[in-house]
Structures are given as structure tokens and as C-alpha cells.
Amino acid sequence: MNGQHGGQPYAAHYAEPYATNPYAHEEPEEMVELNGPRAYRSPTSYDHQGHDHQGHNFDFHFQEQPSPRPAVIPYRPGLGQNPPDYTSSPGLLPTPRTSYGPDSFVNTPYDSRSASPTLRLTEVGLNHQYHHSQVQSSASLGLAPLVTTPASPGFSKDWIQSGSIARISERDDIDIWKGWKRWVFKFTPLLTFANTSLYLFYLGLRIYCIISAQNAAGVSYAGAWVFVAIEIAVMIPSLMHNCWTMMALKKRGRPKLRLTGDDCPTVDVFVTCCGEEDDVVLDTVRGAIDQDYPFDRFRVIVLDDGRSASLEESVNNLAITHPNLYYMAREKIPGKPHHFKAGNLNYGLDQTLALPGGAGQFMAALDADMIPEQQWLRAIIPHLLVDPKMALACPPQLFYNTPASDPLAQSLDFFVHVIEPIKDALGVAWCTGSGYVVRREALDQIGNFPLGSLAEDVATSTLMLGKGWKTAYIHEPLQFGTVPEDYGGHLKQRTRWAIGTVDTAFKLKFCLWGDAVRKMTVAQRFSGFLYATLSLYTLLLTASLFAIPVILLWGKQLVAYANQDQLHWLIWSCFATTIANRLCEFALFIPAGYHTGQRGSRYQLWMSPYIALCIVRSFMLPTWLGGQTQAFKPTGSLGSALNERDPKQRKNMFVRMRVILFNFMALFHFAFVYVTLVAVVISTYRCFATESGFKGVVICLITHAFWPPLTFLFICTSLWTPVSYAIDPPSMPEREELLTRDPKTGVAHPTKKSKKIAFGGQAAWFELEYTVATVASILIFVYSFFF
């Protein structure tokens, strides 16, 4: 396909579903009915991204705001029956319910602590002038003036004024990428425009040459038409994404801020878990309670949907020395829908109303495996305080157990460092499920977390945008978690995201119209529409994979032309398009890293059959033909885990190959690669058998299998990923070896080395393959001047 789609950053995991759960107190005409089939089941676990492992689909429906329940205060050894009394702290008393919405920021729409204290914003740096931004307090009992308390030890520097918001830098990503990379990235919109223009010209020329060839020869070039048709089908989402990428011309203005002093807004930090290992959850809990944040201004609440007795005991033991730590586990009645992570979060929101002092001014959430950095809250909350319409701020999800070369493209680095910053500049930052901090009145207006969504996180932020609130993406490394450590877990996670994308896109009318998205801007609607349709794009991409081997086995040429001049122009335009695409990739991938971007491009190809299969099963097949809304489910019985990344416990290669090829259906990838290579060999043999002379053979090869930039080579090496992973999976050390642990407190954080993805042999191999394809395109371009 001329490599155009291969180099573009398509990803099913870039788009997650939206849902709706309108605020129960609105007028009836504001409510949107979204109905569909229901599929309830017994309680089960959900992964750290917050989705159940079977990916069942639920209706979006509306939840009446629950009335405050009686306090559920767990007994803590050594503390007696009653928890510490927080009501003596300013701002912890409930305030009256008043009006709603971003324009009524000064009022709190529920019984809670005050929404925002009076703050000062201090801008710092060389020759910077101090200036102040006043944010009104919403509480009848406001916080004390913030300038009366010394700055916390971590921020006690000359340029920080005590009790204010410090503006550390003009950019929040100052520590992530800088220098020449930022200068080159500025050319991304221009290069994207040039790439798009050249590709449109190339396709137009291809069509013109096919018509000319047919008129001259009096025959139909069916193979060339099929090839062009597939390229056009793939081009449509490519053009949409290119148009969106060109919006990178709009610069981000997100500074790096820190909240200093001890008079801070109150926060309820939820740690959601459901069946994860206790050690993993406890590392997250310890990181949460170890925040550089005033002790009496935040609570950490473990919401255990797995109701683990051992975890409860461990949390209660920690609570002896950390009385702002709570353990809660809701009752889940078999047969009654509990809505997985969304239901768990809503239960936590409900219970905080009954805790001493009421609910916090803000709510924060951490996935079970996401260890926050110590400055997490002080880094996120200022962005909510300086703008009264800011409903939610979210940092990236980063990982510390990603293997060298990241063979399955699990790091999400392209999304984290390229996609989300662009979306943030357009005002459409998404909540990505962990590490976010949200304003309680914004949650209250949309009726808390929406039920019936496979991705309540992005659904929540989208509904907030639809109500006129703002969302922010804070591009700082503030949390680190773990990626799935097995091939099957990775497939379930990514196909679940794709299904949720399509499911909720239909329910929200692709963010184009309806009450749920009424106040969205044009850019927000376009972004929501784009990333919803890109999951459906996998159907076209999967179909396009068959084009080259079918046409080559058919014995037809990929490119038709009427004369030598047309062939010259076709080669020249193809060469220009290929080089422009390479340059565009290089500039666009810079923030995430060039190899990260290339991994993402290959990921689109080998994951597309899985995603397309799940979409067909979920939305096209009737139930009597096996249709059901769920993530990828392996066939047969696995018997035991492969432990493929454990060099001591992994199954032998025969077992790994059998499971991945048959149970996880990678046999399709295996067969596709061999059929394509056989087709290339047959096509090459025909050229040598039917053509005479060096020129005739070369032209035959170019117009059949070896049309630049050797698309079959990129497709085959990409589709071979599951097979190569089964043969030689990466080895990873034990999780404890990736952490630095304080022997006294037990607090652990990832090592500096584990936060970075090592450059491995696979990355070197793919770079060699890419270089060969580029060099071949250059040689063909040069040779075209000699015939």
C-alpha cells in the first residue's frame, strides 16, 4: 500500500469508549436514552485499566444520586472503634448543596468540603515577574490564607513563595524532551501536509495511468484496480488522521506547576483493585500515603472489589501508623449488575459522603499497580485550582516492566508523548484511567462515573466536555505501573479497548450530535469521531492485507501504465511519497522516540486481525452465530500459564508455539507470511521466465512484487511478530528487582533504568529491514533515469 498506512499512527488503543450517565436532577429533556442489549454476569475481576476480563457489554443508563449511607468505618487494630476526628480541620465540614455546572464554580453541588481554596499563582524563572490569579473559595468555612504556612521541604527554594502555586517552567514536559527535538517537531504539520498532498497526487496518477493503459491495450487491469481500491480505502482514515495531526501546529500552553504550603484542598484518593496480588496493591497504597501532601488534607481509600481478607488485614495494619488510610469492599450480589470499576468508584464516592468531614473537594484514582511519585498530588491539583472550569487533570500512564524493544508495543509511548499532548492543545484531553484528579462537582453533574461503559475513564472525561467543562493532560512522569506480562493478557486488554471504542461511539453518535456532547467544540467532536472510527478502520486494514498475496498469486501486476513516460512518473511520485512519509514519521515520532513510533506502526498490522475479528463477533454476528460483545477469548484450554517472560519458569518453545499459534490464533499470521512469501517467489520466477534482458526483468519485478517501498516486506515482518514472540520471548527480572524500596517504610519506586525501554535486538532488526526498503526505493528511483 506504498507504506502510507504503515507509517501512520493508527491504534485501536488510542480510542476508548464514551458513555453517558446524565445528572439525575436535570430536566427530563436533558436526559438521553441509550438502550441496547444487556449481558449481566456474576462478579469477576477486571484488569488494572479498569475493565472486566470478559469485556461484557452493558447499557448506558442513568443512576439516581444515592443518599448518604451510614458511615462504614473499618475497625483498625490499635485505634479502637472510632477513627481520628478530622472535623477539626478547616474545610472538612460539609457545605450546603447549591447550583451546578462550571459557571457556578463558587458553589458546591453536594454535601462536601469546600471546592477550592484561595490561592496564589507564582511564576518563577529567569527575569519572571510574580503575578497572582485569584480563585474564589466555595466553602462557607474557607481555608486559611495559604501564605501563612512555610513551604513543604521538597519545595523550600528561594523562588517559591510559601503557600502558593509555583510556576516551575513554561512547559510541563520540560524534563521529558527538549533541544533540537522540539525544533524538528515544529515541522510536523508542514511535513504532514506535504506527505498528504504527494500521496493524493500519487493515487490520482495511478488511476490516470490505469485508465490510459486500458485504453491503449484494450484490456482490463483488474489487479491494478484492486490494488488502488484497497489503497483508497486505507487512505480515508489516513487522511483524517493527517488532518488531525496537522493541528499540532497549535502549541500547548500547559506549564509545570507545584502546589506549596500546607493549606491545600482536600482529596479522596481511591486505589481500585480486584484480585491483583497483594504485594502489587500494597506498593501502590504505600506510594499513595507517602505523598508530599499535608496529612490531614487527603485520605487514601482502598476499594477492593475482590474482597481479599489478606489485603484487608495488610491495609488495616498500615492504617495503624497511617490513620488517613481506609479499606472498603462493597457487597456484590450474584445476578445483580455491579458495573465493575465504574460501580466500584461510585461506591467509593457514595461512602466518602458518610466519612468524618464528608467528601473531599477533589477525587483522585490510582489503578492497583500504578505507583505514584511523591509529588503526584502537588503536581496535578494546581491545574485544577487556577481554572474554575477545569474538571479533570490526568498524567500519562507509564510502565516500569516493559521488556527490551517492547516487542508487543505495550508501552503506549506514542499515545503518551505525541497523541495526548496534541489532544490537550485542542482541548480534548482524555482521562486514561489512573493518576487523574477530578473535581467533585463536575462528577456530580454527570451523575458520577457512567455505567455500562467498557471504559468509564474516557467516557467520564468526554461527558464532562459535553457539559462545558475542561480537561487537562499533565505531561509529567508522575506514575508508573505494569504492562500485561503474557501474550493472552495483552490481547484481552487491547481488544477490549477497541470493542469499547466502537460500542460507545454508536451510543454517543460518534460525538457528532446529541445532548451528551452539546457543548463540545468542533475540534473536540472531530477528535472523538476520529478515534472512534479508527477502531472500525481495522476491518479495512485487515482486508487490505490480502491484496498483495492474492494479486501476486493471481499473476497480475500491481501497477499499470501505457508507456515508459508514465512508468517514470509513477516511480518518481512513489519515491517522493515514500521519502515524504519517512520524514513525516521521523518528525512525528520524535517526542516518543523514533523506534517507539515504528513499533506502533507494526502493531497496527499484526493486531488488526484480532481487533477486526472481535468487532465482527461483537457487532455484526447475531447471537445464534456466536456473536457476543467481549474481548478476545482464546480457544480451548490453556492448562497453565506460559510464563513466557520468566527465564526459569517459561514453558518450552513447543508449548509456547502451540498455545500462541492455535489457542491465540496466531496461525493466521504464520500462514499469511508464508503465503505472501510464496507469492513473491512465484511472481519473481515468472518475471525471470517470461522476460528477456536485464531491463525487462527489472521492470517486471518493480511493477509486481517489488514496487517501492517493498510493502510486502513491511507487512510480513510485522505479521511475524506473534510467531517471533513465541519462539524467542523477552526475559524480564522479578518485579522486586525493578524497584528501589525504602527498608524502613517499605515504600517502593521504579528504578531509573526500569523506567526506560532498552534498545534490543528486535528493534535493530526492524530498523535494518526499514533501511533496506528505503535504500531499494532510492535505487529504483535512480535506475528509472536509465530506461
Side-chain angles (χ1 to χ4, degrees):
M1 292 350 107
N2 193 36
Q4 177 71 9
H5 69 277
Q8 297 304 323
Y10 302 126
H13 65 278
Y14 296 161
E16 295 193 47
Y18 313 117
T20 185
N21 186 13
Y23 177 56
H25 296 283
E26 288 181 341
E27 294 298 325
E29 61 267 23
E30 290 291 322
M31 300 179 66
V32 183
E33 287 292 334
L34 297 173
N35 297 318
R38 301 191 179 190
Y40 298 136
R41 63 184 176 86
S42 59
T44 187
S45 62
Y46 44 79
D47 66 11
H48 73 272
Q49 296 293 340
H51 311 304
D52 72 284
H53 285 310
Q54 295 186 22
H56 283 270
N57 180 34
F58 288 86
D59 292 344
F60 291 140
H61 53 278
F62 312 123
Q63 179 185 25
E64 292 290 339
Q65 288 297 315
S67 58
R69 299 180 182 177
V72 180
I73 310 298
Y75 168 75
R76 294 173 177 165
L79 292 180
Q81 294 293 341
N82 296 320
D85 183 9
Y86 295 108
T87 56
S88 59
S89 299
L92 288 175
L93 296 177
T95 55
R97 177 189 296 265
T98 51
S99 60
Y100 305 86
D103 296 327
S104 58
F105 172 77
V106 296
N107 295 317
T108 309
Y110 54 87
D111 295 336
S112 74
R113 290 173 269 183
S114 57
S116 291
T118 302
L119 295 171
R120 288 184 179 177
L121 175 65
T122 306
E123 183 173 359
V124 296
L126 187 62
N127 297 327
H128 282 183
Q129 299 293 326
Y130 290 104
H131 68 280
H132 305 289
S133 174
Q134 191 77 8
V135 181
Q136 298 296 325
S137 172
S138 67
S140 57
L141 294 177
L143 298 177
L146 295 180
V147 295
T148 61
T149 307
S152 57
F155 307 103
S156 55
K157 298 181 180 179
D158 294 339
W159 45 263
I160 292 185
Q161 181 176 342
S162 297
S164 62
I165 295 177
R167 189 182 181 102
I168 298 177
S169 173
E170 293 292 333
R171 303 196 333 263
D172 57 356
D173 56 3
I174 185 66
D175 299 322
I176 297 178
W177 65 302
K178 61 185 73 174
W180 67 270
K181 295 181 179 181
R182 299 190 66 85
W183 185 82
V184 173
F185 186 73
K186 292 180 180 179
F187 290 93
T188 297
L190 178 63
L191 291 172
T192 303
F193 178 78
N195 182 33
T196 303
S197 300
L198 286 171
Y199 193 64
L200 288 173
F201 173 79
Y202 163 74
L203 284 180
L205 183 62
R206 285 277 305 279
I207 295 173
Y208 170 77
C209 290
I210 294 175
I211 295 175
S212 298
Q214 290 184 156
N215 292 336
V219 297
S220 175
Y221 287 89
W225 279 118
V226 172
F227 191 39
V228 169
I230 292 295
E231 285 190 306
I232 293 175
V234 172
M235 177 195 68
I236 294 174
S238 173
L239 290 179
M240 290 172 55
H241 200 283
N242 283 358
C243 292
W244 184 86
T245 303
M246 282 186 280
M247 295 180 183
L249 188 63
K250 180 177 176 60
K251 296 181 180 179
R252 288 181 74 235
R254 194 75 62 197
K256 185 176 183 179
L257 305 177
R258 286 294 183 273
L259 178 62
T260 65
D262 289 332
D263 286 320
C264 301
T266 53
V267 188
D268 290 318
V269 179
F270 293 158
V271 178
T272 55
C273 53
C274 186
E276 294 83 0
E277 295 181 6
D278 287 1
D279 291 343
V280 173
V281 179
L282 291 174
D283 279 340
T284 300
V285 173
R286 292 189 190 100
I289 59 181
D290 190 50
Q291 288 297 297
D292 180 15
Y293 205 79
F295 167 81
D296 63 340
R297 310 308 293 166
F298 78 108
R299 293 183 293 226
V300 177
I301 303 172
V302 179
L303 299 175
D304 182 14
D305 243 8
R307 194 178 283 273
S308 167
S310 58
L311 179 61
E312 180 179 8
E313 180 181 3
S314 298
V315 171
N316 284 336
N317 288 337
L318 275 176
I320 296 175
T321 53
H322 300 84
N324 61 336
L325 174 62
Y326 291 80
Y327 174 92
M328 294 182 183
R330 59 178 173 152
E331 180 183 3
K332 295 193 288 187
I333 302 173
K336 181 178 180 180
H338 50 83
H339 302 292
F340 311 107
K341 187 178 179 181
N344 198 15
L345 288 168
N346 286 342
Y347 171 80
L349 291 172
D350 184 15
Q351 294 303 317
T352 58
L353 297 174
L355 290 178
Q361 300 155 265
F362 295 97
M363 189 222 84
L366 291 167
D367 281 341
D369 64 333
M370 278 287 171
I371 302 175
E373 297 291 282
Q374 196 173 34
Q375 70 274 20
W376 166 53
L377 289 178
R378 288 193 181 272
I380 298 295
I381 290 178
H383 297 272
L384 294 158
L385 297 177
V386 297
D387 188 345
K389 291 187 178 182
M390 188 65 68
L392 180 147
C394 185
Q397 287 196 36
L398 304 173
F399 308 96
Y400 62 88
N401 70 330
T402 308
S405 292
D406 191 14
L408 301 182
Q410 296 176 283
S411 66
L412 301 180
D413 276 4
F414 187 83
F415 176 75
V416 163
H417 299 303
V418 179
I419 299 298
E420 272 290 77
I422 296 176
K423 292 168 78 274
D424 186 42
L426 300 176
V428 64
W430 281 350
C431 170
T432 54
S434 179
Y436 60 89
V437 181
V438 60
R439 196 183 298 276
R440 288 293 296 259
E441 56 263 46
L443 269 177
D444 196 60
Q445 188 183 15
I446 65 170
N448 291 341
F449 291 93
L451 307 177
S453 170
L454 296 181
E456 82 297 325
D457 40 22
V458 180
T460 298
S461 53
T462 304
L463 289 174
M464 288 177 175
L465 293 174
K467 293 293 185 181
W469 293 92
K470 298 178 183 179
T471 58
Y473 176 71
I474 314 305
H475 197 187
E476 290 190 55
L478 296 172
Q479 60 175 344
F480 290 86
T482 57
V483 299
E485 295 183 345
D486 62 289
Y487 186 75
H490 174 71
L491 294 184
K492 291 178 184 179
Q493 182 190 71
R494 298 306 172 87
T495 54
R496 184 183 305 113
W497 292 351
I499 292 172
T501 299
V502 178
D503 184 39
T504 53
F506 281 112
K507 292 174 179 176
L508 276 189
K509 303 179 179 66
F510 288 88
C511 294
L512 295 180
W513 74 91
D515 290 339
V517 297
R518 177 181 298 176
K519 295 185 179 180
M520 274 190 173
T521 64
V522 173
Q524 290 169 345
R525 292 171 190 260
F526 177 60
S527 182
F529 173 78
L530 172 65
Y531 281 94
T533 55
L534 284 183
S535 288
L536 291 173
Y537 153 76
T538 57
L539 297 172
L540 288 176
L541 181 55
T542 302
S544 72
L545 293 177
F546 293 93
I548 291 180
V550 168
I551 295 173
L552 293 180
L553 289 174
W554 192 8
K556 303 296 183 180
Q557 65 187 65
L558 300 179
V559 181
Y561 55 93
N563 51 56
Q564 292 292 324
D565 287 339
Q566 288 188 0
L567 178 60
H568 288 160
W569 277 103
L570 284 171
I571 292 175
W572 296 342
S573 62
C574 181
F575 170 77
T577 302
T578 300
I579 298 303
N581 193 46
R582 297 291 187 267
L583 293 175
C584 184
E585 288 174 346
F586 179 78
L588 183 64
F589 296 164
I590 273 182
Y594 174 73
H595 294 291
T596 295
Q598 295 296 352
R599 282 193 297 270
S601 298
R602 292 189 295 270
Y603 163 88
Q604 303 315 308
L605 289 171
W606 70 263
M607 270 298 296
S608 287
Y610 289 112
I611 296 174
L613 176 63
C614 289
I615 289 177
V616 169
R617 285 177 174 175
S618 300
F619 305 105
M620 298 181 183
L621 288 181
T623 54
W624 59 274
L625 283 178
Q628 54 182 325
T629 302
Q630 66 174 31
F632 177 82
K633 184 177 181 181
T635 60
S637 175
L638 299 184
S640 61
L642 294 177
N643 294 318
E644 61 256 35
R645 298 185 187 180
D646 189 332
K648 297 179 181 179
Q649 299 184 28
R650 66 166 58 120
K651 300 295 184 180
N652 61 57
M653 187 179 72
F654 175 79
V655 175
R656 297 197 306 267
M657 289 286 289
R658 175 177 59 82
V659 171
I660 291 180
L661 289 182
F662 293 95
N663 296 87
F664 291 116
M665 301 176 65
L667 185 63
F668 166 82
H669 299 73
F670 183 89
F672 181 89
V673 170
Y674 273 94
V675 169
T676 301
L677 292 178
V678 168
V680 170
V681 171
I682 293 176
S683 176
T684 303
Y685 171 78
R686 286 173 179 161
C687 289
F688 280 98
T690 59
E691 298 293 335
S692 59
F694 180 78
K695 175 183 175 181
V697 171
V698 171
I699 292 179
C700 179
L701 292 174
I702 292 174
T703 57
H704 287 72
F706 294 90
W707 184 253
L710 309 187
T711 307
F712 81 89
L713 183 61
F714 183 82
I715 292 177
C716 286
T717 54
S718 300
L719 268 292
W720 192 250
T721 297
V723 182
S724 63
Y725 181 86
I727 296 173
D728 185 25
S731 296
M732 288 296 294
E734 294 290 336
R735 192 178 71 90
E736 191 65 26
E737 298 179 36
L738 303 174
L739 301 171
T740 300
R741 189 176 300 277
D742 187 323
K744 295 182 179 180
T745 63
V747 176
H749 289 283
T751 64
K752 185 176 181 180
K753 181 179 180 181
S754 68
K755 294 178 180 179
K756 297 181 179 180
I757 303 174
F759 183 85
Q762 189 191 64
W765 163 252
F766 279 120
E767 185 56 37
L768 175 63
E769 169 258 312
Y770 222 47
T771 302
V772 168
T774 304
V775 171
S777 300
I778 295 174
L779 292 177
I780 293 173
F781 170 72
V782 173
Y783 182 72
S784 68
F785 290 94
F786 297 95
F787 65 79

